[in-house]
Amino acid sequence: MSQLVDSDDTTPLLGDDASSDDSQDEDYKSRWRSIRVMYFTMFLSSVGFTIVITSLWPYLQRIDDSANASFLGWVVAAYSLGQMIASPIFGLWSNYRPRREPLVCSIFINLSANIYYAYAYLPKTNNKVHMLLSRAFVGFGAGNVAVVRSYVAGATSLKERTSAMANMSACQALGFILGPALQACLSFIGEKGVTVNILDLQLNMYTAPAFLAAAFGIINILLVLLVLREHRVDDHGRHLRAINYTSEDRVDISEETEETIDQVAVLTSNVLFFIVMFIFAVFETIATPLSMDMFAWTRKEAVLYNGIIICGIGFESILVFVAVKVASKRVGDRPVLLAGLAIIFIGFFILLPWGNHYPKIQWADLKNNSLVSRISEATIASNSSLEPTGCPYEQTWCQYTPAIHLAQYISSDFLIGVGYPACNVMSYTLYSKILGPKPQGVYMGWLTASGSGARTLGPVFVSQIYTVLGPRWAFSLICGMVVGAIVLLSSLYHRLIAFSVRHGRAAE
């Protein structure tokens, strides 16, 4: 990790000659208040996404019985496609205008889209299309992640950067925990829930989380409007005049801005981040269908149990972020990223099916047989809550692919819960250091778009491969991708260094 000479967290901020220590201290406090608003924005964004992720599949099945696992992949991907389109737009906007503008606009789109999602059951036809569109708009609003990360990168010194990025990722992980936890709590409302006729509203275990996410959005807008201020510092922590207002505010920062960014390192960082996000998108998309197929869980059980598991991963992630801050100071950012990729590989390798135990086959699709039909109709009549469980018969791999054991599933979750957060925070930290002191809105927009592209393709990939070929092919291909990422990082290891180190102003 880079060590800057005479750099610490209390470096005086550059200002007018008449500036007093009090004004410098107030600038410092205001800067960190604004950074903490960005932490909270990231937290709420994460909650807004994960609060519905475990119930997405059963909600889709409930409102449109023509939807299958392949369409689920498109619904999950729609969020990331929207985010991929929006990220560069919001990033560019934030480079030239106050960050409040793209932040408030994006959060408003996000909360409106959550309300749309909650009402996706209302149309008489094409409910699955309405769900897909609502998730796309939720994702478009989530394009503000580029603004958040570029703000934190520009408002922290090189020495502060890893800690700030780790804190932001910890807030994201905390949202990752609380989202599924809130969904698990709201699952006790049940599928019927409460009907509010005057609003044509069904408030149940599927729609309540979306309304809660919209309420979080209102809180987020108020914080951005009332607390956020523009701040920008150089790699040494010295205050620079913000460029986000008008042309007369823009000043010549230093000769640093004339020095070039290593575009090979930028491209490599984007590719590595794409792979990391692709892998995690596969993991989060497949969790609910895989557990329902392998363990014969009902929709409600899948939402509850996966919510609990994801909460556990989230708590684990926070511990990882603390460990990452310590480890990066001792060994550097790149070794931590490499170790994270190796742990992810082990996690997916463990998840490969083995043994002679096969999953329970779901018999629901055989009900056209007259005998089975009569039995099933009689059973359903006596118990209206019955739903078919197990691996669907039309997925032919269910008949010859060994079942994945619950111990395998939990062990894989644990390892991916260690590897992914380490790779995530190190990817952003390295990238922001490679970019140096220049405004990072557009570059962070492209990195976020790269991750969103991965989250678009990942669910589509896994839903198609998993549905047709099964988990053995899906997870084998993922293992191959992780090996490719390790080879790429190893071969370009020497290029992934901080801007200041590359130009000789700091020691590595």
Side-chain angles (χ1 to χ4, degrees):
M1 181 180 174
S2 302
Q3 301 293 332
L4 289 176
V5 180
D6 298 328
S7 173
D8 61 41
D9 294 351
T10 59
T11 301
L13 305 179
L14 293 182
D16 297 333
D17 293 338
S19 295
S20 66
D21 291 340
D22 289 341
S23 65
Q24 292 171 358
D25 187 54
E26 181 55 37
D27 278 339
Y28 181 85
K29 290 178 180 178
S30 175
R31 177 164 69 96
W32 281 99
R33 276 197 301 268
S34 298
I35 289 171
R36 290 181 185 111
V37 170
M38 293 296 95
Y39 290 167
F40 194 61
T41 301
M42 184 65 77
F43 165 77
L44 291 181
S45 175
S46 182
V47 169
F49 173 66
T50 60
I51 200 170
V52 300
I53 195 66
T54 58
S55 63
L56 201 61
W57 175 229
Y59 184 36
L60 179 61
Q61 288 180 309
R62 180 178 173 82
I63 66 173
D64 196 327
D65 55 14
S66 68
N68 55 25
S70 295
F71 193 82
L72 172 67
W74 289 105
V75 172
V76 176
Y79 174 95
S80 301
L81 181 61
Q83 190 179 50
M84 181 176 68
I85 294 169
S87 295
I89 297 171
F90 290 133
L92 183 64
W93 188 352
S94 73
N95 269 7
Y96 295 100
R97 297 290 302 167
R99 266 96 166 188
R100 283 198 192 98
E101 294 179 9
L103 284 171
V104 170
C105 176
S106 59
I107 297 167
F108 181 77
I109 292 171
N110 190 283
L111 72 87
S112 300
N114 272 303
I115 295 172
Y116 180 21
Y117 172 88
Y119 277 101
Y121 65 87
L122 201 56
K124 301 297 183 183
T125 58
N126 296 319
N127 300 85
K128 64 181 182 181
V129 176
H130 287 286
M131 178 181 280
L132 185 145
L133 289 173
S134 68
R135 292 300 294 169
F137 283 116
V138 170
F140 192 91
N144 61 17
V145 169
V147 181
V148 171
R149 287 201 159 98
S150 68
Y151 182 93
V152 173
T156 53
S157 68
L158 201 60
K159 184 177 180 180
E160 296 168 330
R161 192 80 46 79
T162 299
S163 179
M165 288 292 185
N167 290 340
M168 185 163 55
S169 294
C171 290
Q172 187 177 26
L174 187 60
F176 191 72
I177 296 168
L178 291 182
L182 290 169
Q183 170 67 86
C185 292
L186 293 171
S187 68
F188 292 102
I189 296 175
E191 290 191 327
K192 290 186 178 180
V194 179
T195 301
V196 183
N197 293 324
I198 193 170
L199 298 175
D200 284 328
L201 170 64
Q202 293 178 11
L203 193 65
N204 55 36
M205 62 184 281
Y206 305 127
T207 61
F211 283 114
L212 188 57
F216 287 150
I218 294 172
I219 296 171
N220 201 353
I221 288 175
L222 292 174
L223 282 171
V224 169
L225 290 174
L226 298 175
V227 182
L228 183 68
R229 299 292 180 269
E230 294 292 338
H231 290 281
R232 188 158 172 255
V233 301
D234 66 8
D235 282 350
H236 298 269
R238 296 170 300 198
H239 191 263
L240 301 170
R241 199 178 294 263
I243 66 170
N244 303 73
Y245 291 105
T246 58
S247 58
E248 58 266 23
D249 284 330
R250 299 175 193 167
V251 296
D252 183 19
I253 297 167
S254 72
E255 68 280 1
E256 289 178 349
T257 57
E258 299 174 3
E259 293 169 334
T260 59
I261 296 171
D262 186 347
Q263 297 297 334
V264 173
V266 169
L267 179 61
T268 302
S269 298
N270 275 275
V271 172
L272 288 172
F273 188 66
F274 176 91
I275 293 172
V276 169
M277 297 305 295
F278 184 93
I279 290 165
F280 192 71
V282 167
F283 173 74
E284 68 184 1
T285 304
I286 205 63
T288 300
L290 179 69
S291 60
M292 291 174 71
D293 290 348
M294 293 296 166
F295 314 131
W297 288 348
T298 63
R299 290 194 297 266
K300 188 171 182 178
E301 287 171 340
V303 170
L304 177 61
Y305 298 154
N306 280 302
I308 293 169
I309 290 169
I310 291 174
C311 284
I313 293 173
F315 279 116
E316 179 188 13
S317 297
I318 292 177
L319 298 177
V320 172
F321 291 131
V322 174
V324 160
K325 291 164 75 172
V326 176
S328 65
K329 290 179 180 178
R330 291 181 177 273
V331 301
D333 299 334
R334 293 169 296 175
V336 174
L337 178 57
L338 196 58
L341 288 170
I343 293 170
I344 289 175
F345 173 81
I346 296 170
F348 274 98
F349 187 80
I350 286 175
L351 205 53
L352 291 172
W354 56 275
N356 297 317
H357 176 69
Y358 295 90
K360 172 190 172 185
I361 303 298
Q362 185 184 123
W363 48 261
D365 287 318
L366 299 177
K367 64 185 179 183
N368 288 333
N369 176 283
S370 58
L371 176 61
V372 174
S373 181
R374 287 194 296 273
I375 294 172
S376 62
E377 286 173 3
T379 305
I380 291 171
S382 64
N383 186 1
S384 60
S385 64
L386 183 68
E387 67 177 85
T389 59
C391 202
Y393 185 81
E394 63 268 18
Q395 293 179 173
T396 55
W397 57 264
C398 295
Q399 302 168 52
Y400 58 80
T401 301
I404 293 171
H405 300 271
L406 185 59
Q408 282 177 270
Y409 186 63
I410 299 296
S411 300
S412 176
D413 288 345
F414 174 80
L415 290 170
I416 294 169
V418 173
Y420 169 72
C423 291
N424 183 281
V425 68
M426 285 299 101
S427 296
Y428 274 111
T429 303
L430 268 174
Y431 190 66
S432 67
K433 291 179 178 179
I434 288 167
L435 297 178
K438 296 185 178 183
Q440 298 185 6
V442 174
Y443 277 105
M444 281 294 179
W446 287 120
L447 187 71
T448 304
S450 174
S452 300
R455 294 175 74 115
T456 302
L457 296 175
V460 175
F461 161 85
V462 74
S463 62
Q464 298 296 326
I465 298 297
Y466 176 81
T467 302
V468 177
L469 299 175
R472 180 172 285 161
W473 272 95
F475 300 143
S476 295
L477 290 171
I478 293 300
C479 287
M481 288 189 68
V482 180
V483 170
I486 292 172
V487 171
L488 177 64
L489 175 56
S490 301
S491 61
L492 292 169
Y493 193 85
H494 63 288
R495 302 289 290 264
L496 302 178
I497 56 176
F499 186 92
S500 298
V501 174
R502 180 168 175 259
H503 291 286
R505 289 193 298 276
E508 188 172 8

